[in-house]
């Protein structure tokens, strides 16, 4: 499956953005999906994950209560609604798909990665 993330941009602290990740192929609905981010000089870190059906979600503590992950399998699309953004949320955001179909925060559990989209939050 090929993934394409979009929706990044520049926003002031306290603002909102919605990221989208469109997947190609008929098997999109079989994959567990996740969002990760990487800030300059830092390792890639887990943000959120959603199961193949959308029925289970999992968040990093740093974004819990502010970000919401969702998916629309009919549109082969996953979303990340980001509210109350903080400067420390600034990073390149990546979407990923894992063939196990379940939620996970482990980078190695994801088989496919999209190119990132830049999110910059100004103070």
């Amino acid at each position: 499956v090929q993934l394409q993330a979009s929706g990044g941009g520049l926003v002031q602290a306290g603002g909102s953005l919605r990221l989208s990740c469109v997947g190609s192929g008929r098997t999109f609905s079989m994959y567990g999906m996740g969002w990760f981010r990487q800030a300059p000089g830092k390792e890639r870190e887990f943000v959120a994950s959603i199961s193949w059906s959308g029925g289970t979600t999992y968040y990093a503590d740093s974004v819990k209560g502010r970000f919401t992950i969702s998916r629309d399998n009919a549109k082969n699309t996953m979303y990340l609604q980001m509210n109350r953004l903080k400067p420390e949320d600034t990073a390149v955001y990546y979407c990923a798909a894992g063939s196990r179909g379940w939620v996970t925060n482990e980078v190695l559990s994801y088989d496919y990665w999209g190119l990132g989209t830049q999110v910059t939050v100004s103070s």
Side-chain angles (χ1 to χ4, degrees):
V1 62
Q2 292 184 326
L3 304 172
Q4 178 65 54
S6 62
L10 173 63
V11 64
Q12 289 188 332
S16 299
L17 282 174
R18 189 175 81 155
L19 305 184
S20 298
C21 175
V22 179
S24 65
R26 299 178 180 177
T27 58
F28 178 86
S29 62
M30 297 173 58
Y31 290 92
M33 301 292 294
W35 287 100
F36 289 75
R37 65 188 182 187
Q38 188 166 17
K42 295 187 177 181
E43 293 186 353
R44 189 168 299 190
E45 67 170 354
F46 169 75
V47 175
S49 178
I50 189 166
S51 62
W52 66 273
S53 67
T56 301
T57 57
Y58 178 39
Y59 296 93
D61 288 343
S62 59
V63 306
K64 199 174 295 182
R66 300 188 298 123
F67 291 10
T68 302
I69 189 171
S70 62
R71 67 190 296 165
D72 184 342
N73 286 338
K75 297 181 178 180
N76 278 14
T77 304
M78 173 181 64
Y79 304 97
L80 185 68
Q81 178 66 45
M82 305 186 294
N83 298 328
R84 304 201 309 275
L85 282 160
K86 304 175 181 180
E88 50 264 44
D89 294 318
T90 295
V92 176
Y93 283 69
Y94 298 89
C95 59
S99 58
R100 294 182 181 180
W102 201 238
V103 294
T104 177
N105 62 351
E106 298 180 359
V107 171
L108 294 180
S109 293
Y110 291 89
D111 305 293
Y112 304 97
W113 293 83
L115 297 178
T117 184
Q118 176 71 47
V119 172
T120 303
V121 184
S122 62
S123 57

